[in-house]
Amino acid sequence: MTNEERFMKEAIALSKKSIEQNEGGPFGCIIVRNNEIIARGNNRVLVDNDPTAHAEVVAIRNACRHVGTFQLENCEIYSSCEPCPMCLGAIYWARPRIVFFANTRQDAASIGFDDSMIYQEMGQDLSHRKIPVVNLCRQEALKVFAQWAAKQDKTLY
Amino acid sequence: MTNEERFMKEAIALSKKSIEQNEGGPFGCIIVRNNEIIARGNNRVLVDNDPTAHAEVVAIRNACRHVGTFQLENCEIYSSCEPCPMCLGAIYWARPRIVFFANTRQDAASIGFDDSMIYQEMGQDLSHRKIPVVNLCRQEALKVFAQWAAKQDKTLY
């Protein structure tokens, strides 16, 4: 068994724990740096009443707490399922070096999770979305963006 | 001023607070139900060292805590900027009835936030992503999906 397979089995074990302890859906994730597991997460949507508590988001938050920054450079993410758009977005903001996944988004759809639908919606024009998205007060909000752009002591992220 | 504009000004005020208190980028969000603000959030990436602490995610978590469920039916989301893919994903999982936004994803890109790039990546084939995404151990993970499908006492979400 390769190291990568060994780490993925840990993520899959977390996905099993998630449903056996009724914490959420069958999803687990671990984050590895220098061949060492630095964070774990499993789906906690049900136990936390939190629709954002997917395994990857939970693991990324734990990993960032562990390393003390909002970036996961040189880290590897092992997820028991292909990340949904929310989790993939979180991964891009966290910037790990690589992502491994086991079940696919189609596998997730086949047991009732809407990942595929959400991927389709991402590419839809705003006027064709299932949840309406409406622009409002842009000129007012642009002033705060200009204030950020002009801010001298800001931390870029 | 319409009610919608009044609520959006609250979200924009939070985006301003976020940068003035050095908590994160210029992003704010409020969640409304029955014409009443039930939750607020602003970007807390810097102060929490948490790349997932975008205004919308923070507000959704607060709103779900407030209503005691993982769904935001009949709620309206007012975000000072068009949601990034992570936040849009979170919105689809939370299922509010409508989303209002002020600054656009292009406005965000123009002050250095990568939302547009991440939207492009969402639609890319796995083999062409900037962060490599690799499939591994699918057969092993499918067993846990089958266990979920067969589970009698599960909560669907």
Side-chain angles (χ1 to χ4, degrees), chain B residues 133-146:
Chain B
V133 183
V134 178
N135 190 227
L136 201 68
C137 304
R138 178 169 171 246
Q139 292 310 316
E140 185 90 7
L142 276 172
K143 291 178 198 162
V144 186
F145 271 18

Side-chain angles (χ1 to χ4, degrees), chain B:
Chain B
M1 197 187 306
T2 64
N3 271 349
E4 287 78 10
E5 287 167 342
R6 191 163 52 80
F7 288 132
M8 184 58 85
K9 280 179 199 298
E10 292 271 343
I12 294 170
L14 284 172
S15 75
K16 197 170 161 70
K17 171 195 159 227
S18 186
I19 63 176
E20 290 178 350
Q21 301 192 358
N22 291 313
E23 294 185 346
F27 306 99
C29 180
I30 63 164
I31 299 181
V32 170
R33 193 175 56 174
N34 298 331
N35 231 19
E36 184 200 349
I37 298 177
I38 62 164
R40 295 164 199 270
N42 64 263
N43 187 293
R44 296 184 53 86
V45 169
L46 299 176
V47 70
D48 288 348
N49 276 333
D50 179 356
T52 73
H54 284 200
E56 297 93 325
V57 168
V58 172
I60 287 170
R61 294 168 62 107
N62 287 339
C64 287
R65 201 169 300 132
H66 178 81
V67 298
T69 78
F70 49 82
Q71 296 280 271
L72 296 175
E73 281 167 26
N74 303 315
C75 291
E76 299 155 23
I77 294 189
Y78 292 81
S79 178
S80 70
C81 185
E82 185 179 349
C84 80
M86 175 180 73
C87 293
L88 189 62
I91 287 166
Y92 274 93
W93 293 117
R95 303 188 180 91
R97 73 169 189 84
I98 191 166
V99 178
F100 297 95
F101 70 98
N103 284 309
T104 67
R105 71 179 83 170
Q106 292 79 12
D107 296 331
S110 75
I111 60 160
F113 292 97
D114 275 345
D115 304 41
S116 280
M117 180 276 284
I118 301 177
Y119 270 104
Q120 285 165 23
E121 289 286 295
M122 291 283 143
Q124 286 285 358
D125 198 73
L126 296 193
S127 58
H128 290 84
R129 296 263 185 80
K130 287 182 199 295
I131 298 177
V133 183
V134 178
N135 190 227
L136 201 68
C137 304
R138 178 169 171 246
Q139 292 310 316
E140 185 90 7
L142 276 172
K143 291 178 198 162
V144 186
F145 271 18
Q147 188 180 340
W148 171 264
K151 187 173 161 71
Q152 294 297 318
D153 62 341
K154 67 177 174 274
T155 302
L156 290 170
Y157 70 93

Side-chain angles (χ1 to χ4, degrees), chain A residues 66-129:
Chain A
H66 178 82
V67 299
T69 79
F70 49 82
Q71 297 280 270
L72 296 176
E73 281 168 26
N74 302 315
C75 291
E76 299 156 21
I77 294 189
Y78 292 81
S79 178
S80 69
C81 185
E82 185 180 348
C84 79
M86 174 179 74
C87 293
L88 190 61
I91 286 166
Y92 274 93
W93 291 117
R95 303 189 179 92
R97 72 170 190 85
I98 191 165
V99 178
F100 298 95
F101 70 98
N103 284 310
T104 67
R105 70 179 83 167
Q106 292 81 11
D107 295 332
S110 75
I111 60 160
F113 292 97
D114 276 345
D115 305 40
S116 280
M117 180 277 283
I118 301 177
Y119 269 105
Q120 285 164 23
E121 289 286 295
M122 291 282 144
Q124 285 286 357
D125 198 72
L126 296 193
S127 58
H128 290 83
R129 297 265 184 80

Side-chain angles (χ1 to χ4, degrees), chain A residues 1-153:
Chain A
M1 197 187 307
T2 65
N3 271 349
E4 287 78 8
E5 287 167 342
R6 192 163 52 81
F7 287 131
M8 184 57 85
K9 280 180 198 297
E10 291 270 344
I12 295 170
L14 284 172
S15 74
K16 197 170 162 69
K17 170 193 159 231
S18 186
I19 62 176
E20 290 177 350
Q21 302 192 356
N22 291 315
E23 294 185 344
F27 305 99
C29 180
I30 64 165
I31 299 181
V32 170
R33 193 176 56 176
N34 299 330
N35 233 16
E36 183 200 349
I37 299 177
I38 62 164
R40 295 164 199 270
N42 63 263
N43 188 291
R44 295 184 53 86
V45 169
L46 299 176
V47 71
D48 288 348
N49 276 334
D50 180 357
T52 74
H54 284 200
E56 297 92 328
V57 168
V58 173
I60 288 170
R61 294 168 63 107
N62 287 340
C64 287
R65 201 171 298 132
H66 178 82
V67 299
T69 79
F70 49 82
Q71 297 280 270
L72 296 176
E73 281 168 26
N74 302 315
C75 291
E76 299 156 21
I77 294 189
Y78 292 81
S79 178
S80 69
C81 185
E82 185 180 348
C84 79
M86 174 179 74
C87 293
L88 190 61
I91 286 166
Y92 274 93
W93 291 117
R95 303 189 179 92
R97 72 170 190 85
I98 191 165
V99 178
F100 298 95
F101 70 98
N103 284 310
T104 67
R105 70 179 83 167
Q106 292 81 11
D107 295 332
S110 75
I111 60 160
F113 292 97
D114 276 345
D115 305 40
S116 280
M117 180 277 283
I118 301 177
Y119 269 105
Q120 285 164 23
E121 289 286 295
M122 291 282 144
Q124 285 286 357
D125 198 72
L126 296 193
S127 58
H128 290 83
R129 297 265 184 80
K130 287 182 200 296
I131 298 177
V133 183
V134 178
N135 191 226
L136 200 68
C137 304
R138 178 169 170 244
Q139 293 310 319
E140 185 90 8
L142 276 172
K143 291 178 197 159
V144 186
F145 270 18
Q147 188 181 342
W148 171 264
K151 187 174 161 70
Q152 295 298 318
D153 63 340

